[in-house]
Amino acid sequence: MRPRPPIKGRGIVSGTGVIVTGLLATLLALIFPIWSYADRSGTGVSVLNAQTVATNYGPLSGLDRDFLTRVRQAGLWELPAGQEAEQKGTTQAVRTAGQHLVQGHTFLDQRVRDVAARLGIELPNEPTAQQRQWLTTLNRAQGVEYDHDFVNIARLAHGKVFSLVAQVRATTRNSLVRALADDANTTVLDHIKVLEATGDVDWDALARNMAAASTPPLVNSPAPPGPTTDPSPAVPVAPTPSATYSLPPAASSPPPQ
């Protein structure tokens, strides 16, 4: 009996087999990126959930607590800096900027201490080493040198915190922190504008400093041991009215060269 000839078109090399193999390869290509990123730390929701604890006002993340700390520390050095600018500024615009810093951070400091108390967060009572150095520099400066140093140090500091406020406002799930971020955004933006209105901002130096500055790490503040004991119900928090200030005339703020 003659052997039966092979039937063409069967097996993995057949047309159907090629199609099936292609579909499997495509499926694996789609699955692999999802699998490979699933366990990587520092991506997606894992960042938002870092050191997150439950509170009566929504989850409180490590970034939220870092934000509270930085708002408090900003007031610890900008309040005395603003008071000094009211006295040592050689122009009305610089003295007005100092007044805004005093008014704005008096308001924000009261707000952040209230929020921290309701969330069970301990706040610092001293400025950072860098902030103390800034105050020392301003204490020693006189005349137009003082104007330049005050405006540019304060403008650099506000530019850095402005990005943090935006990040917290965009990601926080805590109603108290969200309302504080709204107030901080209004206040910091006002300070940026009034500092720029002095006409003393060194835009080139500011750009270099902002480009060289890396994103500061989260403050290593331990998470509270459990849900806070604040008995207040979990209800939406109405925004606190922010203080409003009158800026110097826009004509006194020349555009960047």
Side-chain angles (χ1 to χ4, degrees), residues 129-241:
Q130 183 182 52
Q131 291 167 345
R132 291 194 298 271
Q133 183 180 0
W134 288 339
L135 289 173
T136 299
T137 299
L138 295 178
N139 288 337
R140 294 174 178 172
Q142 299 294 330
V144 294
E145 179 187 4
Y146 172 82
D147 293 346
H148 178 273
D149 289 347
F150 166 72
V151 169
N152 285 280
I153 289 174
R155 176 60 179 82
L156 175 64
H158 281 83
K160 290 181 178 180
V161 77
F162 197 48
S163 59
L164 174 64
V165 174
Q167 183 181 6
V168 171
R169 183 59 181 84
T171 61
T172 186
R173 292 173 286 171
N174 188 281
S175 59
L176 288 179
V177 174
R178 188 178 303 115
L180 178 63
D182 285 339
D183 291 335
N185 181 75
T186 301
T187 301
V188 172
L189 182 57
D190 168 76
H191 291 176
I192 287 176
K193 288 181 177 180
V194 79
L195 288 165
E196 292 173 353
T198 64
D200 290 321
V201 174
D202 185 339
W203 296 99
D204 291 337
L206 177 65
R208 289 193 299 269
N209 280 304
M210 292 298 291
S214 59
T215 303
L218 293 179
V219 174
N220 188 22
S221 57
T228 61
T229 56
D230 190 327
S232 304
V235 296
V237 178
T240 302

Side-chain angles (χ1 to χ4, degrees), residues 44-187:
V45 180
S46 62
V47 174
L48 301 181
N49 289 336
Q51 299 181 339
T52 298
V53 297
T55 76
N56 291 334
Y57 305 94
L60 183 73
S61 70
L63 181 63
D64 294 339
R65 291 192 298 278
D66 181 59
F67 169 63
L68 298 181
T69 297
R70 291 179 186 276
V71 170
R72 169 64 170 167
Q73 287 181 325
L76 290 174
W77 86 271
E78 290 184 38
L79 271 171
Q83 291 168 343
E84 187 176 47
E86 289 181 290
Q87 303 299 320
K88 293 176 62 175
T90 66
T91 67
Q92 183 57 50
V94 171
R95 293 191 292 272
T96 297
Q99 180 185 11
H100 281 226
L101 262 64
V102 171
Q103 292 176 338
H105 284 286
T106 298
F107 167 74
L108 275 187
D109 193 66
Q110 180 181 355
R111 289 281 289 113
V112 73
R113 287 188 285 110
D114 175 67
V115 169
R118 296 167 76 176
L119 294 174
I121 301 298
E122 184 177 354
L123 294 175
N125 291 315
E126 294 183 357
T128 66
Q130 183 182 52
Q131 291 167 345
R132 291 194 298 271
Q133 183 180 0
W134 288 339
L135 289 173
T136 299
T137 299
L138 295 178
N139 288 337
R140 294 174 178 172
Q142 299 294 330
V144 294
E145 179 187 4
Y146 172 82
D147 293 346
H148 178 273
D149 289 347
F150 166 72
V151 169
N152 285 280
I153 289 174
R155 176 60 179 82
L156 175 64
H158 281 83
K160 290 181 178 180
V161 77
F162 197 48
S163 59
L164 174 64
V165 174
Q167 183 181 6
V168 171
R169 183 59 181 84
T171 61
T172 186
R173 292 173 286 171
N174 188 281
S175 59
L176 288 179
V177 174
R178 188 178 303 115
L180 178 63
D182 285 339
D183 291 335
N185 181 75
T186 301
T187 301

